[in-house]
Amino acid sequence: MPLRRLNNKVRIISLIMAVTAMLIFAYALINGSLAGREAALKAGEVDTMNIANSLSTQVNLSFRAADLLMHELDELASEERFSQAAAQSLMEKLMTRQSALFPEMDSIQILDERGRLLQAWPAASGGKRVEVQLPAQMDASTASAGMQQMHIGMPVRSVASGQWIIPLTRTLVRHGKPGGLIRIGVSVDYLARQFNDFDIGRKGALVLATDEGIMLLRRPFDPQFLGKSMSDAALFKDNVQQRPAGWAMIRSSQDGVVRLNYFTRVPDYPLLVTVALARDDILADWRKAQRAQLLVIFSAVLIVGLLTVYLLHVIKMRDRAEEKIEKKNLHLRLLTEKLKSQALIDGMTGLANRRYLDEQLQKAIQNASRSQSPVALVMFDVDWFKKFNDLYGHVQGDYCLQEVAHALLSAQRRQGDLAARYGGEEFALLLPDTGLAAAHRIAQQVLDAVRAMQIPHEGSHCGVVTISAGVISCIPPPDASVSDLFAHADSALYLAKSNGRDRVQDWRPLSQVKTA
């Protein structure tokens, strides 16, 4: 096997092995990377669910404490066995004790059916009027069915503390009619501190909202979000309203951050909690690991690349050595071809020489004899060429022969046709698979082309250079020789010259040659 082919094989195999190794390595890393990313998102789902469930439980406990307190205050207010003063004293003690147990209580107010403040914690003037809209008159069935349910209002500023609170109200029912109102303010600041206990990353968000989509609290805290409706948001419209709990990957309409959201209801109350972790925060550790993997990939690719480059460098050095050898061999081949070409080409006219003509004519005779097809040979001679040289010199004589050679070259129209210089001012045209009529026509075209050149010749009766031609076309017998065809074509040429020159003469066949 040649050295270059071996080097190319080694080069190709090396590249294939290097690329295959890198592809396998890259596939393993990409597959592991995707699996790691999926695991990170799954962990994010678990984290959001755990945080949401914890917040839901804490909110439920806070609101349940307020609900139980309102129920106990309602029981005391309706207890007829206590005087009004005794009932108020008991309620004051109850409110003080419960506020110590549940620090999320910002304020408590009890109002009569006219909206007058009957009892308050922290203490307030008994005659102070509080702007609270009492429910309309209801019958006994309506009152028992709905008026005593706790109502969750929109966040407002507390009269007692000036801080943001979520007002919880419960209607007091007396004899089937509204008999006043209990209102407890749950501290937004307290709930916010509970929300802040959870790690939600740099761009995470926590939301406490009503089932109607009214935000009661949001982390990061901003008063502008309190009471804001999120009913038109994709999370609420496409997810919260469709199922009680679940996940959704959504781009926030508030800040444009893509977050993994988990929402769930608060048990027993018309509230929902939403935990949103930014996708970038969830994938932060995964991306850090990816950077380390990329470093490993880069190092591996660099090592494989350097080894491949070194191997290719070694192969290149071998190629250079082989190239030097090939250049020397090529130089020898070119020199041989040049010598061979010079041995087969006439140096002055550029046509084939007599030796090459003999070789090709012999092959043409064998092929024609085997296939029983005609082969034609045309001999040409420049008329009065000796006089031309005497009148114009040998330089112009050489020019004249070159022009005649150009005319013969134009007659080579098929593969196998061959124009050659026979010797001196004589030329030959080999035409395989060509009958006598076609060969005569081609010879006449060559004569016309030479005459059309209008090369001056005062020694000719035509005044210009002309040529004569003798044509032979036959289906040669198996024993026919090159000299036979040359002899017949030369005889025809002699007749053309004897009959006045500047003409084409066909050879008339003898019995030993079968004509075409």
Side-chain angles (χ1 to χ4, degrees):
M1 181 181 292
L3 184 60
R4 180 175 290 277
R5 290 179 59 189
L6 179 61
N7 289 348
N8 288 337
K9 270 195 169 184
V10 173
R11 184 185 291 109
I12 293 171
I13 292 172
S14 301
L15 290 175
I16 291 175
M17 290 180 63
V19 171
T20 302
M22 285 189 287
L23 287 176
I24 294 174
F25 187 60
Y27 172 78
L29 287 177
I30 291 173
N31 191 52
S33 174
L34 293 177
R37 185 179 188 276
E38 188 66 22
L41 292 175
K42 288 291 183 183
E45 291 181 354
V46 173
D47 290 342
T48 54
M49 183 178 65
N50 290 339
I51 294 173
N53 289 335
S54 296
L55 287 176
S56 175
T57 300
Q58 291 183 11
V59 171
N60 175 268
L61 291 175
S62 297
F63 280 63
R64 183 174 296 279
D67 199 4
L68 291 174
L69 178 57
M70 285 191 287
H71 181 74
E72 292 183 15
L73 291 174
D74 186 14
E75 291 290 334
L76 286 175
S78 62
E79 187 64 58
E80 296 181 354
R81 58 192 179 91
F82 295 111
S83 63
Q84 185 176 0
Q88 287 182 355
S89 176
L90 289 174
M91 285 190 288
E92 287 178 0
K93 293 179 181 179
L94 176 62
M95 287 186 288
T96 301
R97 185 180 70 249
Q98 291 297 99
S99 64
L101 294 175
F102 299 98
E104 58 266 48
M105 305 294 182
D106 176 85
S107 58
I108 307 173
Q109 297 173 339
I110 302 176
L111 297 83
D112 63 13
E113 67 276 8
R114 297 180 182 178
R116 291 179 302 180
L117 186 64
L118 299 178
Q119 194 73 28
W121 182 91
S125 172
K128 184 175 181 180
R129 180 87 176 176
V130 180
E131 295 298 330
V132 177
Q133 184 176 357
L134 297 175
Q137 295 290 333
M138 297 183 180
D139 55 28
S141 62
T142 304
S144 60
M147 292 179 64
Q148 290 183 288
Q149 295 294 327
M150 186 177 71
H151 174 73
I152 302 173
M154 293 178 59
V156 295
R157 290 279 187 181
S158 170
V159 175
S161 64
Q163 301 298 318
W164 286 100
I165 61 170
I166 300 173
L168 309 180
T169 57
R170 179 188 179 96
T171 303
L172 301 176
V173 178
R174 299 294 181 263
H175 307 295
K177 298 179 181 180
L181 194 72
I182 301 176
R183 184 171 73 171
I184 297 179
V186 177
S187 172
V188 171
D189 183 64
Y190 178 85
L191 294 178
R193 288 196 300 272
Q194 288 185 316
F195 277 33
N196 289 335
D197 289 339
F198 295 93
D199 181 12
I200 58 173
R202 296 182 300 107
K203 299 179 181 179
L206 302 176
V207 173
L208 173 64
T210 66
D211 282 350
E212 290 78 21
I214 303 300
M215 280 193 282
L216 303 179
L217 176 59
R218 185 181 187 274
R219 175 187 171 190
F221 180 78
D222 192 332
Q224 68 173 343
F225 291 116
L226 299 179
K228 186 175 181 179
S229 174
M230 53 184 286
S231 58
D232 292 332
L235 174 65
F236 190 85
K237 185 167 52 177
D238 300 332
N239 295 275
V240 173
Q241 291 183 333
Q242 309 300 326
R243 47 203 169 115
W247 289 274
M249 188 72 76
I250 296 175
R251 184 178 297 277
S252 172
S253 59
Q254 306 291 338
D255 52 18
V257 176
V258 178
R259 293 184 175 91
L260 174 64
N261 296 264
Y262 181 79
F263 59 91
T264 185
R265 263 62 178 190
V266 176
D268 304 326
Y269 298 101
L271 299 170
L272 64 94
V273 172
T274 299
V275 178
L277 298 183
R279 186 174 60 186
D280 290 343
D281 292 340
I282 295 174
L283 299 177
D285 291 338
W286 172 78
R287 284 173 177 157
K288 184 177 180 181
Q290 287 304 108
R291 286 191 289 271
Q293 287 185 356
L294 285 176
L295 181 61
V296 172
I297 293 174
F298 177 78
S299 301
V301 170
L302 182 61
I303 293 173
V304 173
L306 289 175
L307 291 175
T308 304
V309 168
Y310 175 73
L311 180 59
L312 294 178
H313 175 69
V314 172
I315 296 174
K316 188 175 181 180
M317 291 176 64
R318 294 178 61 183
D319 285 345
R320 287 177 178 175
E322 181 182 359
E323 187 177 353
K324 290 181 180 179
I325 297 173
E326 286 186 351
K327 282 182 178 180
K328 291 181 179 180
N329 292 336
L330 178 61
H331 178 71
L332 293 175
R333 285 198 301 269
L334 290 176
L335 183 60
T336 302
E337 291 294 331
K338 184 177 180 181
L339 294 174
K340 184 178 179 181
S341 175
Q342 289 175 349
L344 300 176
I345 300 298
D346 179 65
M348 185 182 70
T349 62
L351 299 180
N353 61 14
R354 172 69 182 274
R355 177 184 173 187
Y356 189 61
L357 176 62
D358 288 346
E359 292 177 358
Q360 296 304 309
L361 181 56
Q362 183 63 52
K363 292 179 181 177
I365 291 172
Q366 293 173 355
N367 292 335
S369 178
R370 185 168 49 251
S371 62
Q372 289 295 291
S373 60
V375 59
L377 177 66
V378 185
M379 294 292 293
F380 297 94
D381 184 79
V382 180
D383 298 332
W384 309 110
F385 187 68
K386 184 177 183 304
K387 289 184 178 181
F388 187 91
N389 276 338
D390 292 342
L391 290 171
Y392 301 103
H394 290 284
V395 174
Q396 288 298 318
D398 292 345
Y399 169 76
C400 177
L401 294 178
Q402 290 172 356
E403 291 299 306
V404 173
H406 290 160
L408 262 71
L409 283 173
S410 65
Q412 292 185 158
R413 300 179 181 177
R414 300 174 306 166
Q415 185 177 3
D417 292 353
L418 178 66
R421 186 182 182 190
Y422 189 74
E425 69 272 20
E426 287 187 305
F427 297 89
L429 181 59
L430 173 62
L431 301 170
D433 196 20
T434 305
L436 184 60
H440 182 101
R441 185 172 61 254
I442 294 171
Q444 186 61 53
Q445 291 172 355
V446 174
L447 263 66
D448 294 341
V450 172
R451 190 184 301 111
M453 292 177 181
Q454 294 291 302
I455 302 173
H457 188 357
E458 294 180 359
S460 171
H461 65 277
C462 296
V464 294
V465 173
T466 59
I467 61 174
S468 300
V471 181
I472 169 68
S473 178
C474 63
I475 300 174
D479 58 347
S481 66
V482 170
S483 59
D484 292 337
L485 265 68
F486 275 127
H488 297 321
D490 192 59
S491 296
L493 176 62
Y494 177 78
L495 289 174
K497 285 185 169 290
S498 298
N499 293 332
R501 293 180 172 84
D502 188 22
R503 66 187 65 235
V504 178
Q505 179 66 51
D506 297 336
W507 176 77
R508 297 306 171 185
L510 300 178
S511 59
Q512 71 269 24
V513 179
K514 184 179 178 182
T515 60

